[in-house]
């Protein structure tokens, strides 16, 4: 079966999520690969959410926030930007392509642009292929057993 | 009635055992409250003595060290069975500790470096340790060296945790007091530590943090009164549990995170990542990156003691 | 042939195991000391900031 990227989107309530709504009401056609989660602000997106999504089977994570200067809470999107940039530095050390995480500013009026961003990101992840983070970690532990033929103590996932 | 306790080390350095001894004359109080029935570093009991105990014989086991090989895991499983309360002692058992940094590499990479490429190795035939060797007709066994270092709670059920690298001796003493007095809190609790971030007990002056430059500790002398993070030193205090008595901070060294995360935090390093990103100045990608580029080896710096307990646990292979 | 295992050897820092093989006439044929523990500092210090090394390798032995 052809690979269909699974992307988790953390979208800010005030801009990107509303932009995604607009894309829907305006009947914009775009890839169905993003599972959207509404957060109050891109600054609410804890890096734990992103890594948990990747470890839980996502191939990519999209964070959507308000354009610089437009944050409903003044500074949240700048915090998101700084976290995102630092997170992108540790991803390659984990052996994860940094391109799998993307931050985009999409305003409430940019329904079409939301569709374009999703299309573009989906194609980018498609080109990278599946991440399989959890599988790879479990695979790395499959011989970590006390006795030949035994089962690893921890098989319940990452 | 006197308590029965066991003390063991997996992949450890013995620093936790020494921290127990560093209770000085109070070790006599510990000895008065508890019979120690297993403690390889200090007393002569064998694995068979533990195997011969009935299940649940020990009131508490203090297990220090990470799970690096099958022996560490086997003894953890054995002691878990013999113990009423299994206590992870120190950063390695708690969050993987320094041995957990091995999760940046594979088992094969490590063995090759240690036994073949090491500058001091004299091994022209490239012999690697194997689980079964026959020499002169004598069969010998070694534990299986694991690919991925694990924390104690990743292989057995852990009742309590005493954090630290090493745990502060007085904290071990007071934790043993809790066991002796039957005052242990609810299962899963961290004992012998605070329940707030290290920053809360740090005596340094803090004001609004906005940093544009990260300093490494050898680059200049820090001011002794001001918050390390404000001065641009990567201090893990915001993401680290208190309880150590600010040992490093008082010695002029930024916190390195050995007491692990606070309750409810899924990943200490990522928590620190958030904290650090919050204090960096700048709104443009370029200027933020210029500051972030000064963080050397960010993954292992943020997860110095906690890599094995980070969400992905290891580098992807 | 009798096999005597002293496992673990105690009252020292580190892990060790001694296996002794005794002949039927009671003499020791072979005795082996094995160190079952390895953490791999040689490898995992690679890539760490240089100022970290003195603070990491102190965890080789804490006694």
């Amino acid at each position: 079966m052809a690979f269909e990227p699974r992307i988790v989107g953390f979208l800010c309530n005030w801009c990107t999520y509303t932009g995604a709504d607009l894309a829907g009401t305006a009947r914009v056609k775009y890839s169905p690969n993003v599972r959207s989660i509404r957060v109050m602000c891109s600054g609410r997106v804890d890096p734990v959410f992103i890594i948990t999504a990747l470890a839980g089977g996502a191939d990519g994570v999209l964070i959507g926030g308000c354009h610089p200067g437009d944050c409903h809470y003044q500074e949240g999107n700048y915090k998101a930007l700084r976290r995102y940039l630092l997170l992108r530095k540790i991803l390659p050390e984990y052996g994860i392509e940094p391109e799998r995480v993307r931050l985009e500013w999409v305003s409430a009026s940019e329904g079409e642009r939301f569709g374009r961003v999703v299309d573009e990101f989906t194609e980018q992840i498609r080109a990278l292929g599946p991440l399989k983070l959890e599988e790879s970690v479990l695979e790395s532990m499959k011989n970590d057993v006390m006795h030949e033929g035994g089962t690893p103590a921890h098989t319940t996932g990452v | 009635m006197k308590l029965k306790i066991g003390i063991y080390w997996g992949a450890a350095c013995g620093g936790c055992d020494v921290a127990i001894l560093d209770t000085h004359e109070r070790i006599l109080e510990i000895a008065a409250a508890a019979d120690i029935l297993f403690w390889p570093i200090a007393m002569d009991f064998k694995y068979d003595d533990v195997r011969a105990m009935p299940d649940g014989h020990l009131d508490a086991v203090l297990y220090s060290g990470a799970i690096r090989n099958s022996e560490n895991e086997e003894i953890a499983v054995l002691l878990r069975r013999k113990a009423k309360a299994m206590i992870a002692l120190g950063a390695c058992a708690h969050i993987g500790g320094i041995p957990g940094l091995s999760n940046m590499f594979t088992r094969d990479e490590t063995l090759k470096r240690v036994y073949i490429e090491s500058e001091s190795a004299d091994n022209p035939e490239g012999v690697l340790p194997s689980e079964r060797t026959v020499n002169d007709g004598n069969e010998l066994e070694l534990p299986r060296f694991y690919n991925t270092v694990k924390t104690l709670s990743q292989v057995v059920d852990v009742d309590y945790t005493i954090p630290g690298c090493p745990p502060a001796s007085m904290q071990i003493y007071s934790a043993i007091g809790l066991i002796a007095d039957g005052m242990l809190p609810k299962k899963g609790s961290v004992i012998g530590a605070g329940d707030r971030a290290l920053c809360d007990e740090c005596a340094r002056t803090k004001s609004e943090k906005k940093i544009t430059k990260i300093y490494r500790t050898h680059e200049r002398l820090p001011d002794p009164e001001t918050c390390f993070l404000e001065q641009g030193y990567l201090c893990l205090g915001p993401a680290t549990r208190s309880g150590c008595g600010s040992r490093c901070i008082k010695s002029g060294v930024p916190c390195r995170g050995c007491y692990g995360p606070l309750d409810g935090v899924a990943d200490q390093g990522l928590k620190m990542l958030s904290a650090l990103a919050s204090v960096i100045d700048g709104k443009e990608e370029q200027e933020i990156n210029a500051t972030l580029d000064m963080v050397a080896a960010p993954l292992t710096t943020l997860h110095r003691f906690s890599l094995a307990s980070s969400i992905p646990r290891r580098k992807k292979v | 042939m009798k096999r005597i295992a002293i496992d673990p050897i105690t009252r020292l820092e580190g892990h060790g195991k001694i296996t002794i093989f005794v002949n039927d006439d009671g003499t020791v044929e072979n005795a082996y000391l094995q160190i079952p523990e390895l953490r791999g500092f040689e490898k995992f210090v690679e890539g760490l900031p240089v100022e970290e090394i003195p603070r990491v390798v102190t965890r080789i032995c804490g006694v």
Side-chain angles (χ1 to χ4, degrees):
Chain A
M1 209 173 77
F3 164 59
E4 266 313 319
R6 261 187 298 186
I7 298 169
V8 174
F10 294 104
L11 312 181
C12 127
N13 172 64
W14 304 98
C15 293
T16 315
Y17 195 85
T18 315
D21 262 352
L22 180 63
T25 45
R27 308 262 198 273
V28 175
K29 283 197 173 158
Y30 63 95
S31 315
N33 301 56
V34 172
R35 279 76 163 163
S36 300
I37 296 171
R38 179 165 61 162
V39 290
M40 287 312 282
C41 177
S42 55
R44 176 65 185 94
V45 183
D46 191 316
V48 166
F49 299 175
I50 300 167
I51 297 287
T52 304
L54 295 176
D59 301 300
V61 172
L62 175 68
I63 310 150
C66 305
H67 283 276
D70 283 354
C71 176
H72 191 78
Y73 308 98
Q74 315 278 350
E75 297 269 323
N77 51 358
Y78 295 119
K79 278 205 166 107
L81 174 64
R82 295 192 293 253
R83 280 183 197 145
Y84 162 74
L85 292 174
L86 185 49
L87 185 71
R88 276 178 68 106
K89 293 197 189 300
I90 73 164
L91 288 176
E93 293 190 87
Y94 265 132
I96 302 167
E97 300 88 345
E99 297 78 22
R100 290 189 185 272
V101 179
R102 180 153 167 180
L103 174 69
E104 283 286 345
W105 310 134
V106 178
S107 78
S109 62
E110 294 177 318
E112 279 209 32
R113 201 172 96 78
F114 179 78
R116 276 204 311 278
V117 164
V118 169
D119 277 343
E120 223 180 274
F121 190 44
T122 304
E123 287 323 301
Q124 192 179 355
I125 299 295
R126 197 187 304 281
L128 286 170
L131 174 61
K132 298 198 163 159
L133 182 56
E134 184 174 19
E135 285 93 328
S136 127
V137 172
L138 290 177
E139 173 71 18
S140 84
M141 300 195 297
K142 77 169 195 292
N143 292 320
D144 294 356
V145 292
M146 289 191 283
H147 307 287
E148 201 56 58
T151 45
H154 218 83
T155 50
T156 48
V158 181
Chain B
M1 213 177 71
K2 253 182 130 175
L3 290 176
K4 297 187 197 67
I5 63 173
I7 306 171
Y8 187 68
W9 49 6
C13 70
C16 292
D17 301 79
V18 171
I20 297 172
L21 292 170
D22 278 346
T23 51
H24 302 301
E25 67 278 7
R26 286 173 202 261
I27 191 81
L28 299 173
E29 289 176 44
I30 297 175
D35 281 327
I36 301 173
L37 298 188
F38 185 54
W39 193 7
I41 195 174
M43 302 169 80
D44 191 27
F45 294 103
K46 304 300 177 198
Y47 293 145
D48 281 342
D49 299 320
V50 180
R51 291 187 185 107
M53 293 173 189
D55 288 357
H57 186 63
L58 298 167
D59 293 293
V61 163
L62 299 171
Y63 191 110
S64 64
I67 306 297
R68 186 69 189 97
N69 64 32
S70 56
E71 181 184 82
N72 303 152
E73 185 176 342
E74 255 182 86
I75 305 299
V77 169
L78 175 69
L79 288 169
R80 169 68 276 187
R81 218 167 53 231
K82 305 299 176 187
K84 292 191 186 83
M86 186 68 158
I87 303 176
L89 175 68
C92 299
H94 176 206
I95 48 180
I98 294 293
L101 290 173
S102 224
N103 286 356
M104 293 298 284
F105 303 94
T106 63
R107 167 189 195 277
D108 293 345
E109 285 169 333
T110 300
L111 291 176
K112 191 169 160 216
R113 175 76 183 97
V114 173
Y115 294 103
I116 297 172
E117 296 167 352
S118 163
E119 291 70 9
S120 56
D122 178 16
N123 184 7
E125 287 162 39
V127 180
L128 294 176
S130 58
E131 286 156 47
R132 222 163 284 275
T133 320
V134 180
N135 181 62
D136 226 358
N138 303 142
E139 207 174 296
L140 297 165
E141 284 127 40
L142 277 177
R144 173 171 293 206
F145 189 65
Y146 285 175
N147 204 18
T148 298
V149 175
K150 296 164 184 74
T151 69
L152 185 62
S153 68
Q154 287 168 0
V155 300
V156 296
D157 191 28
V158 170
D159 298 300
Y160 301 99
T161 298
I162 305 174
C165 183
S169 294
M170 281 312 291
Q171 296 281 25
I172 300 180
Y173 173 77
S174 57
I176 292 176
L178 290 178
I179 308 168
D181 300 340
M183 298 290 280
L184 281 166
K186 74 173 185 356
K187 184 181 157 147
S189 300
V190 168
I191 54 177
D195 52 9
R196 298 161 76 184
L198 185 63
C199 291
D200 282 335
E201 69 172 38
C202 176
R204 289 178 176 247
T205 11
K206 303 166 200 84
S207 43
E208 209 201 335
K209 297 177 183 56
K210 283 271 175 230
I211 57 176
T212 53
K213 188 162 170 33
I214 308 269
Y215 290 98
R216 292 165 67 177
T217 44
H218 62 284
E219 290 177 333
R220 61 163 198 187
L221 272 178
D223 174 82
E225 309 292 338
T226 316
C227 164
F228 277 116
L229 208 47
E230 264 170 52
Q231 299 182 61
Y233 295 97
L234 237 172
C235 176
L236 266 60
T240 302
R241 187 184 287 273
S242 61
C244 57
S246 304
R247 294 176 294 194
C248 295
I249 306 284
K250 285 179 185 158
S251 317
V253 177
C255 170
R256 306 177 65 241
C258 74
Y259 263 64
L262 286 148
D263 286 339
V265 173
D267 188 311
Q268 185 189 14
L270 294 179
K271 199 76 197 165
M272 187 59 214
L273 187 153
S274 284
L276 177 62
S278 303
V279 302
I280 285 185
D281 202 15
K283 295 181 171 176
E284 299 295 327
E285 187 165 334
Q286 214 180 353
E287 54 174 332
I288 299 168
N289 266 332
T291 308
L292 294 178
D293 283 341
M294 297 176 205
V295 183
L299 176 58
T300 48
T301 297
L302 296 169
H303 291 95
R304 191 176 289 116
F305 289 89
S306 65
L307 186 68
S309 60
S310 72
I311 295 166
R313 292 201 199 179
R314 61 160 302 121
K315 183 178 173 156
K316 189 171 175 265
V317 282
Chain C
M1 180 88 73
K2 199 174 161 219
R3 179 191 168 117
I4 302 167
I6 303 172
D7 192 18
I9 52 174
T10 55
R11 290 158 294 174
L12 43 68
E13 197 286 331
H15 296 241
K17 165 168 112 172
I18 293 171
T19 313
I20 304 167
F21 292 86
V22 184
N23 263 336
D24 294 337
D25 59 12
T27 55
V28 171
E29 185 174 282
N30 274 315
Y32 300 89
L33 166 66
Q34 289 176 290
I35 311 297
E37 190 62 36
L38 169 72
R39 280 163 297 158
F41 278 80
E42 295 90 329
K43 189 67 191 175
F44 69 67
V45 293
E46 287 178 10
L48 295 186
V50 68
E51 68 273 21
E52 274 304 313
I53 306 304
R55 305 191 288 210
V56 165
V57 297
T58 40
R59 271 73 178 184
I60 291 174
C61 177
V63 175

